[in-house]
Amino acid sequence: MLNIGLIVGSTRPERFSDKAAQWVEDTAADRSDLKLTRLDLREADLPFFQEDLPPLMSGGKFEHPKAAAWEERLSAFDGFIATVAEYNYGPAGVMKNAFDNALNGWTRKPIAFVGYGGVGGARAIQALRVTTSGLRMVPIGPEVNIAADTFMAALTQGKPLGGFDHLNAALGTLLNETVWWGNALKPARNAG
Ligand SMILES: Cc1cc2nc3c(=O)[nH]c(=O)nc-3n(C[C@H](O)[C@H](O)[C@H](O)COP(=O)(O)O)c2cc1C
């Protein structure tokens, strides 16, 4: 059983990310190969990066208590799934900042993306693939894109995401691939 952190990647009051996270949780609830735990960036309440040293120079030691707690919290997980909002063709600033405020808790773990927006968060996800590669993570190929009419139906008419077959199929593939990489990387990571 893999421990997977479900990052709720936006923090504004009426965020859509809650709907996306709930759907991922509901879909994964019956699986015996992974256990999801929410990592809500609203609760993490991270400072904008404030460390004296870049993480690679400090060895991933964070002085700010909330950043240190975030780094420590991430260490418990075998991989991650992130809900991804697209703000101005990129990820939300709070999401990028969450990646900057940890190092060892991310490294050598898979991360999968569930994006939403006009083009399903595709541009924000592309940017996060680069960022997470910099952290020596493994960005999972299959992604979920809640896009266009589907996104608008969920956003403005309250249509449940689980009512869309193409989204359920994409999420199933994403979960399978996350588990595959999680199982592949865990023993290698533990071996040092
Ligand atoms: C500052 C800002 C910029 C946005 N830029 C984009 C964008 O570039 N592409 C897009 O598809 N949607 C964009 N949107 C619309 C978002 O997709 C939509 O508001 C979504 O619900 C945001 O995610 P959230 O509710 O989890 O915060 C933007 C929204 C905000 C608040």
Side-chain angles (χ1 to χ4, degrees), residues 7 41 46-64 66-68 70-71 74 91-106 127-128 130-132 134-135 137:
I7 300 165
L41 296 188
L46 292 163
F48 274 119
F49 188 88
Q50 285 187 11
E51 306 295 314
D52 288 341
L53 289 173
L56 269 179
M57 289 179 67
S58 69
K61 185 169 164 23
F62 288 81
E63 299 294 341
H64 193 288
K66 287 184 175 172
W70 179 240
E71 171 78 291
L74 297 183
V94 71
M95 176 69 118
K96 173 62 166 59
N97 188 54
F99 284 106
D100 297 338
N101 267 303
L103 177 68
N104 298 318
W106 296 123
L128 289 176
V130 176
T131 294
T132 54
L135 285 160
M137 303 183 79

Tab-separated table of all heavy atoms in Angstrom, residues 7 41 46-64 66-68 70-71 74 91-106 127-128 130-132 134-135 137:
chain	number	residue	atom	x	y	z
A	7	ILE	N	-2.309	16.831	-3.099
A	7	ILE	CA	-2.066	18.263	-2.890
A	7	ILE	C	-3.240	19.070	-3.445
A	7	ILE	O	-3.567	18.962	-4.627
A	7	ILE	CB	-0.760	18.689	-3.597
A	7	ILE	CG1	0.417	17.886	-3.036
A	7	ILE	CG2	-0.527	20.186	-3.434
A	7	ILE	CD1	1.660	17.963	-3.894
A	41	LEU	N	-2.831	23.206	0.715
A	41	LEU	CA	-1.900	24.347	0.789
A	41	LEU	C	-2.473	25.493	1.618
A	41	LEU	O	-1.721	26.312	2.147
A	41	LEU	CB	-1.542	24.832	-0.618
A	41	LEU	CG	-0.792	23.828	-1.489
A	41	LEU	CD1	-0.318	24.497	-2.775
A	41	LEU	CD2	0.389	23.209	-0.739
A	46	LEU	N	2.171	28.302	3.919
A	46	LEU	CA	3.624	28.489	3.794
A	46	LEU	C	3.995	29.949	3.579
A	46	LEU	O	3.258	30.693	2.915
A	46	LEU	CB	4.141	27.657	2.607
A	46	LEU	CG	4.076	26.147	2.817
A	46	LEU	CD1	4.198	25.419	1.480
A	46	LEU	CD2	5.161	25.705	3.780
A	47	PRO	N	5.148	30.378	4.100
A	47	PRO	CA	5.636	31.724	3.785
A	47	PRO	C	6.124	31.743	2.336
A	47	PRO	O	6.522	30.695	1.805
A	47	PRO	CB	6.827	31.886	4.740
A	47	PRO	CG	7.333	30.475	4.913
A	47	PRO	CD	6.112	29.586	4.881
A	48	PHE	N	6.107	32.903	1.699
A	48	PHE	CA	6.862	32.995	0.454
A	48	PHE	C	8.320	32.718	0.815
A	48	PHE	O	8.793	33.166	1.872
A	48	PHE	CB	6.712	34.364	-0.204
A	48	PHE	CG	5.496	34.444	-1.072
A	48	PHE	CD1	4.497	35.355	-0.799
A	48	PHE	CD2	5.340	33.596	-2.150
A	48	PHE	CE1	3.354	35.405	-1.591
A	48	PHE	CE2	4.211	33.639	-2.943
A	48	PHE	CZ	3.212	34.548	-2.659
A	49	PHE	N	8.996	31.991	-0.050
A	49	PHE	CA	10.319	31.450	0.285
A	49	PHE	C	11.184	32.502	0.998
A	49	PHE	O	11.419	33.581	0.469
A	49	PHE	CB	11.019	30.959	-0.977
A	49	PHE	CG	12.287	30.227	-0.682
A	49	PHE	CD1	12.280	28.876	-0.444
A	49	PHE	CD2	13.487	30.911	-0.599
A	49	PHE	CE1	13.458	28.195	-0.150
A	49	PHE	CE2	14.661	30.242	-0.292
A	49	PHE	CZ	14.646	28.883	-0.073
A	50	GLN	N	11.668	32.140	2.196
A	50	GLN	CA	12.371	33.121	3.029
A	50	GLN	C	13.720	32.637	3.531
A	50	GLN	O	14.310	33.264	4.405
A	50	GLN	CB	11.525	33.444	4.265
A	50	GLN	CG	10.358	34.336	3.987
A	50	GLN	CD	9.660	34.764	5.254
A	50	GLN	OE1	10.173	34.554	6.346
A	50	GLN	NE2	8.500	35.367	5.113
A	51	GLU	N	14.177	31.504	3.059
A	51	GLU	CA	15.398	30.932	3.627
A	51	GLU	C	16.627	31.723	3.191
A	51	GLU	O	16.667	32.295	2.102
A	51	GLU	CB	15.533	29.476	3.177
A	51	GLU	CG	14.318	28.621	3.488
A	51	GLU	CD	14.091	28.452	4.975
A	51	GLU	OE1	15.067	28.174	5.697
A	51	GLU	OE2	12.939	28.604	5.425
A	52	ASP	N	17.660	31.717	4.029
A	52	ASP	CA	18.921	32.381	3.672
A	52	ASP	C	19.627	31.658	2.533
A	52	ASP	O	20.275	32.292	1.694
A	52	ASP	CB	19.857	32.416	4.886
A	52	ASP	CG	19.374	33.404	5.933
A	52	ASP	OD1	18.570	34.291	5.574
A	52	ASP	OD2	19.786	33.281	7.099
A	53	LEU	N	19.512	30.340	2.532
A	53	LEU	CA	20.235	29.540	1.536
A	53	LEU	C	19.253	28.846	0.599
A	53	LEU	O	18.163	28.441	1.024
A	53	LEU	CB	21.076	28.458	2.230
A	53	LEU	CG	22.300	28.916	3.008
A	53	LEU	CD1	22.900	27.726	3.768
A	53	LEU	CD2	23.339	29.524	2.075
A	54	PRO	N	19.647	28.642	-0.662
A	54	PRO	CA	18.841	27.776	-1.536
A	54	PRO	C	18.801	26.364	-0.946
A	54	PRO	O	19.792	25.923	-0.331
A	54	PRO	CB	19.620	27.777	-2.859
A	54	PRO	CG	20.541	28.948	-2.788
A	54	PRO	CD	20.835	29.182	-1.345
A	55	PRO	N	17.696	25.652	-1.132
A	55	PRO	CA	17.565	24.320	-0.529
A	55	PRO	C	18.717	23.372	-0.856
A	55	PRO	O	19.158	22.602	0.010
A	55	PRO	CB	16.238	23.815	-1.091
A	55	PRO	CG	15.455	25.063	-1.331
A	55	PRO	CD	16.448	26.087	-1.779
A	56	LEU	N	19.223	23.413	-2.076
A	56	LEU	CA	20.317	22.492	-2.415
A	56	LEU	C	21.579	22.812	-1.612
A	56	LEU	O	22.394	21.930	-1.333
A	56	LEU	CB	20.640	22.559	-3.908
A	56	LEU	CG	19.882	21.579	-4.808
A	56	LEU	CD1	20.285	21.774	-6.267
A	56	LEU	CD2	20.114	20.131	-4.388
A	57	MET	N	21.758	24.083	-1.204
A	57	MET	CA	22.938	24.464	-0.426
A	57	MET	C	22.759	24.192	1.065
A	57	MET	O	23.737	24.013	1.795
A	57	MET	CB	23.278	25.944	-0.660
A	57	MET	CG	23.844	26.205	-2.049
A	57	MET	SD	24.216	27.941	-2.340
A	57	MET	CE	25.568	28.205	-1.204
A	58	SER	N	21.510	24.166	1.525
A	58	SER	CA	21.279	23.876	2.953
A	58	SER	C	21.042	22.386	3.181
A	58	SER	O	20.840	21.948	4.306
A	58	SER	CB	20.069	24.662	3.465
A	58	SER	OG	18.879	24.157	2.888
A	59	GLY	N	21.040	21.614	2.097
A	59	GLY	CA	20.754	20.182	2.224
A	59	GLY	C	19.302	19.911	2.569
A	59	GLY	O	18.971	18.866	3.126
A	60	GLY	N	18.444	20.865	2.251
A	60	GLY	CA	17.019	20.681	2.536
A	60	GLY	C	16.666	20.984	3.976
A	60	GLY	O	15.645	20.517	4.472
A	61	LYS	N	17.497	21.787	4.658
A	61	LYS	CA	17.163	22.210	6.020
A	61	LYS	C	16.478	23.573	5.936
A	61	LYS	O	17.050	24.533	5.427
A	61	LYS	CB	18.446	22.304	6.857
A	61	LYS	CG	18.204	22.627	8.307
A	61	LYS	CD	19.467	22.435	9.133
A	61	LYS	CE	19.415	23.093	10.501
A	61	LYS	NZ	18.112	23.357	11.056
A	62	PHE	N	15.255	23.637	6.432
A	62	PHE	CA	14.469	24.874	6.342
A	62	PHE	C	14.361	25.510	7.722
A	62	PHE	O	14.047	24.833	8.709
A	62	PHE	CB	13.082	24.578	5.755
A	62	PHE	CG	13.139	24.260	4.288
A	62	PHE	CD1	13.492	22.977	3.846
A	62	PHE	CD2	12.890	25.236	3.339
A	62	PHE	CE1	13.573	22.685	2.498
A	62	PHE	CE2	12.970	24.950	1.993
A	62	PHE	CZ	13.317	23.672	1.563
A	63	GLU	N	14.651	26.810	7.798
A	63	GLU	CA	14.644	27.523	9.081
A	63	GLU	C	13.229	27.950	9.483
A	63	GLU	O	12.882	27.903	10.663
A	63	GLU	CB	15.548	28.767	9.008
A	63	GLU	CG	17.007	28.461	8.710
A	63	GLU	CD	17.683	27.676	9.840
A	63	GLU	OE1	17.164	27.682	10.965
A	63	GLU	OE2	18.720	27.048	9.562
A	64	HIS	N	12.439	28.389	8.509
A	64	HIS	CA	11.086	28.845	8.870
A	64	HIS	C	10.273	27.644	9.376
A	64	HIS	O	10.244	26.602	8.710
A	64	HIS	CB	10.402	29.471	7.655
A	64	HIS	CG	9.160	30.229	8.024
A	64	HIS	ND1	7.997	29.609	8.413
A	64	HIS	CD2	8.908	31.559	8.082
A	64	HIS	CE1	7.078	30.520	8.683
A	64	HIS	NE2	7.613	31.715	8.494
A	66	LYS	N	7.181	26.819	9.442
A	66	LYS	CA	6.143	26.249	8.573
A	66	LYS	C	6.751	25.537	7.367
A	66	LYS	O	6.218	24.527	6.905
A	66	LYS	CB	5.165	27.335	8.126
A	66	LYS	CG	4.247	27.750	9.269
A	66	LYS	CD	3.219	28.750	8.838
A	66	LYS	CE	2.266	29.027	10.000
A	66	LYS	NZ	1.342	30.131	9.727
A	67	ALA	N	7.865	26.039	6.874
A	67	ALA	CA	8.556	25.341	5.786
A	67	ALA	C	9.172	24.040	6.305
A	67	ALA	O	9.103	22.994	5.646
A	67	ALA	CB	9.630	26.247	5.181
A	68	ALA	N	9.759	24.100	7.507
A	68	ALA	CA	10.347	22.877	8.096
A	68	ALA	C	9.256	21.820	8.311
A	68	ALA	O	9.474	20.627	8.053
A	68	ALA	CB	11.035	23.220	9.418
A	70	TRP	N	6.488	21.541	6.631
A	70	TRP	CA	6.071	21.075	5.298
A	70	TRP	C	7.046	20.025	4.787
A	70	TRP	O	6.643	18.959	4.325
A	70	TRP	CB	5.993	22.284	4.378
A	70	TRP	CG	5.612	22.056	2.945
A	70	TRP	CD1	6.360	22.364	1.848
A	70	TRP	CD2	4.380	21.522	2.434
A	70	TRP	NE1	5.684	22.061	0.700
A	70	TRP	CE2	4.456	21.534	1.030
A	70	TRP	CE3	3.220	21.034	3.037
A	70	TRP	CZ2	3.438	21.073	0.208
A	70	TRP	CZ3	2.190	20.564	2.220
A	70	TRP	CH2	2.296	20.585	0.835
A	71	GLU	N	8.321	20.318	4.866
A	71	GLU	CA	9.353	19.355	4.440
A	71	GLU	C	9.205	18.036	5.212
A	71	GLU	O	9.244	16.947	4.623
A	71	GLU	CB	10.741	19.980	4.655
A	71	GLU	CG	11.915	19.038	4.467
A	71	GLU	CD	12.254	18.769	3.003
A	71	GLU	OE1	11.451	18.102	2.328
A	71	GLU	OE2	13.328	19.204	2.563
A	74	LEU	N	6.058	16.031	4.093
A	74	LEU	CA	6.179	15.381	2.782
A	74	LEU	C	6.975	14.079	2.871
A	74	LEU	O	6.770	13.162	2.073
A	74	LEU	CB	6.864	16.321	1.787
A	74	LEU	CG	6.147	17.634	1.459
A	74	LEU	CD1	6.940	18.409	0.410
A	74	LEU	CD2	4.724	17.388	0.970
A	91	PRO	N	1.051	27.755	-13.221
A	91	PRO	CA	0.442	27.294	-11.970
A	91	PRO	C	0.172	28.473	-11.040
A	91	PRO	O	0.799	29.536	-11.171
A	91	PRO	CB	1.508	26.361	-11.384
A	91	PRO	CG	2.792	26.825	-11.973
A	91	PRO	CD	2.477	27.420	-13.323
A	92	ALA	N	-0.721	28.292	-10.091
A	92	ALA	CA	-0.944	29.310	-9.066
A	92	ALA	C	0.372	29.540	-8.316
A	92	ALA	O	1.142	28.590	-8.080
A	92	ALA	CB	-2.034	28.834	-8.105
A	93	GLY	N	0.616	30.792	-7.936
A	93	GLY	CA	1.863	31.109	-7.230
A	93	GLY	C	2.029	30.281	-5.970
A	93	GLY	O	3.139	29.841	-5.634
A	94	VAL	N	0.927	30.023	-5.283
A	94	VAL	CA	1.003	29.272	-4.025
A	94	VAL	C	1.505	27.848	-4.278
A	94	VAL	O	2.171	27.244	-3.419
A	94	VAL	CB	-0.386	29.293	-3.324
A	94	VAL	CG1	-1.405	28.441	-4.071
A	94	VAL	CG2	-0.284	28.888	-1.882
A	95	MET	N	1.214	27.325	-5.449
A	95	MET	CA	1.657	25.970	-5.796
A	95	MET	C	3.162	25.950	-6.078
A	95	MET	O	3.897	25.105	-5.551
A	95	MET	CB	0.877	25.486	-7.032
A	95	MET	CG	1.277	24.148	-7.559
A	95	MET	SD	0.815	22.856	-6.420
A	95	MET	CE	-0.322	21.947	-7.432
A	96	LYS	N	3.638	26.885	-6.876
A	96	LYS	CA	5.076	26.950	-7.161
A	96	LYS	C	5.856	27.130	-5.857
A	96	LYS	O	6.888	26.496	-5.624
A	96	LYS	CB	5.352	28.098	-8.129
A	96	LYS	CG	6.836	28.392	-8.396
A	96	LYS	CD	7.546	27.220	-9.041
A	96	LYS	CE	8.893	27.606	-9.623
A	96	LYS	NZ	9.826	28.151	-8.635
A	97	ASN	N	5.337	27.979	-4.990
A	97	ASN	CA	5.989	28.245	-3.713
A	97	ASN	C	6.059	26.996	-2.829
A	97	ASN	O	7.023	26.796	-2.093
A	97	ASN	CB	5.209	29.365	-3.001
A	97	ASN	CG	5.898	29.851	-1.754
A	97	ASN	OD1	7.068	30.233	-1.787
A	97	ASN	ND2	5.187	29.846	-0.641
A	98	ALA	N	5.034	26.154	-2.924
A	98	ALA	CA	5.029	24.908	-2.142
A	98	ALA	C	6.156	23.981	-2.598
A	98	ALA	O	6.743	23.261	-1.783
A	98	ALA	CB	3.680	24.208	-2.273
A	99	PHE	N	6.456	23.999	-3.898
A	99	PHE	CA	7.575	23.179	-4.383
A	99	PHE	C	8.904	23.757	-3.919
A	99	PHE	O	9.817	23.026	-3.548
A	99	PHE	CB	7.528	23.052	-5.910
A	99	PHE	CG	6.479	22.086	-6.367
A	99	PHE	CD1	5.296	22.536	-6.944
A	99	PHE	CD2	6.637	20.719	-6.191
A	99	PHE	CE1	4.303	21.654	-7.340
A	99	PHE	CE2	5.655	19.822	-6.578
A	99	PHE	CZ	4.485	20.286	-7.148
A	100	ASP	N	9.013	25.088	-3.907
A	100	ASP	CA	10.277	25.714	-3.501
A	100	ASP	C	10.573	25.492	-2.019
A	100	ASP	O	11.743	25.461	-1.620
A	100	ASP	CB	10.225	27.228	-3.771
A	100	ASP	CG	10.088	27.555	-5.248
A	100	ASP	OD1	10.432	26.698	-6.088
A	100	ASP	OD2	9.625	28.678	-5.564
A	101	ASN	N	9.523	25.352	-1.206
A	101	ASN	CA	9.684	25.283	0.250
A	101	ASN	C	9.925	23.874	0.788
A	101	ASN	O	9.631	23.598	1.971
A	101	ASN	CB	8.468	25.901	0.935
A	101	ASN	CG	8.692	27.376	1.249
A	101	ASN	OD1	9.645	27.739	1.948
A	101	ASN	ND2	7.826	28.234	0.731
A	102	ALA	N	10.422	22.977	-0.041
A	102	ALA	CA	10.830	21.650	0.422
A	102	ALA	C	11.832	21.112	-0.592
A	102	ALA	O	11.988	21.665	-1.689
A	102	ALA	CB	9.641	20.700	0.558
A	103	LEU	N	12.529	20.068	-0.224
A	103	LEU	CA	13.495	19.461	-1.148
A	103	LEU	C	13.473	17.927	-1.028
A	103	LEU	O	12.979	17.241	-1.904
A	103	LEU	CB	14.910	19.993	-0.864
A	103	LEU	CG	16.010	19.386	-1.726
A	103	LEU	CD1	15.859	19.816	-3.176
A	103	LEU	CD2	17.397	19.795	-1.198
A	104	ASN	N	13.971	17.434	0.091
A	104	ASN	CA	14.123	15.980	0.219
A	104	ASN	C	12.781	15.247	0.252
A	104	ASN	O	12.704	14.081	-0.141
A	104	ASN	CB	14.942	15.657	1.470
A	104	ASN	CG	16.347	16.234	1.374
A	104	ASN	OD1	16.970	16.169	0.316
A	104	ASN	ND2	16.835	16.835	2.450
A	105	GLY	N	11.741	15.942	0.727
A	105	GLY	CA	10.411	15.323	0.756
A	105	GLY	C	9.828	15.089	-0.627
A	105	GLY	O	8.909	14.284	-0.795
A	106	TRP	N	10.383	15.779	-1.623
A	106	TRP	CA	9.903	15.618	-3.002
A	106	TRP	C	10.724	14.608	-3.807
A	106	TRP	O	10.206	13.915	-4.680
A	106	TRP	CB	10.008	16.946	-3.766
A	106	TRP	CG	9.194	18.115	-3.317
A	106	TRP	CD1	9.658	19.345	-2.967
A	106	TRP	CD2	7.759	18.207	-3.227
A	106	TRP	NE1	8.623	20.187	-2.662
A	106	TRP	CE2	7.452	19.518	-2.820
A	106	TRP	CE3	6.718	17.305	-3.458
A	106	TRP	CZ2	6.139	19.951	-2.622
A	106	TRP	CZ3	5.413	17.744	-3.268
A	106	TRP	CH2	5.131	19.037	-2.854
A	127	ALA	N	4.367	23.556	-17.030
A	127	ALA	CA	5.342	24.285	-16.220
A	127	ALA	C	5.737	23.472	-14.989
A	127	ALA	O	6.920	23.443	-14.597
A	127	ALA	CB	4.762	25.635	-15.806
A	128	LEU	N	4.763	22.788	-14.390
A	128	LEU	CA	5.075	21.999	-13.192
A	128	LEU	C	5.904	20.762	-13.528
A	128	LEU	O	6.654	20.270	-12.684
A	128	LEU	CB	3.782	21.602	-12.468
A	128	LEU	CG	3.059	22.767	-11.778
A	128	LEU	CD1	1.737	22.297	-11.179
A	128	LEU	CD2	3.940	23.388	-10.685
A	130	VAL	N	8.378	20.817	-15.521
A	130	VAL	CA	9.751	21.327	-15.493
A	130	VAL	C	10.215	21.527	-14.045
A	130	VAL	O	11.299	21.090	-13.652
A	130	VAL	CB	9.842	22.648	-16.286
A	130	VAL	CG1	11.233	23.241	-16.182
A	130	VAL	CG2	9.467	22.419	-17.750
A	131	THR	N	9.370	22.169	-13.247
A	131	THR	CA	9.725	22.418	-11.835
A	131	THR	C	9.996	21.110	-11.089
A	131	THR	O	10.987	20.990	-10.365
A	131	THR	CB	8.575	23.189	-11.139
A	131	THR	OG1	8.482	24.482	-11.724
A	131	THR	CG2	8.819	23.328	-9.651
A	132	THR	N	9.112	20.137	-11.278
A	132	THR	CA	9.275	18.887	-10.530
A	132	THR	C	10.467	18.079	-11.042
A	132	THR	O	11.095	17.348	-10.273
A	132	THR	CB	7.987	18.041	-10.560
A	132	THR	OG1	7.574	17.837	-11.926
A	132	THR	CG2	6.869	18.742	-9.824
A	134	GLY	N	13.203	19.533	-11.891
A	134	GLY	CA	14.288	20.189	-11.171
A	134	GLY	C	14.459	19.660	-9.763
A	134	GLY	O	15.561	19.656	-9.213
A	135	LEU	N	13.364	19.193	-9.177
A	135	LEU	CA	13.410	18.612	-7.824
A	135	LEU	C	13.719	17.118	-7.859
A	135	LEU	O	13.626	16.448	-6.833
A	135	LEU	CB	12.064	18.847	-7.121
A	135	LEU	CG	11.842	20.282	-6.634
A	135	LEU	CD1	10.362	20.550	-6.405
A	135	LEU	CD2	12.638	20.537	-5.363
A	137	MET	N	12.019	14.791	-9.225
A	137	MET	CA	10.827	13.956	-9.099
A	137	MET	C	10.586	13.262	-10.435
A	137	MET	O	11.251	13.563	-11.429
A	137	MET	CB	9.605	14.819	-8.741
A	137	MET	CG	9.789	15.629	-7.482
A	137	MET	SD	8.312	16.570	-7.031
A	137	MET	CE	7.304	15.301	-6.265
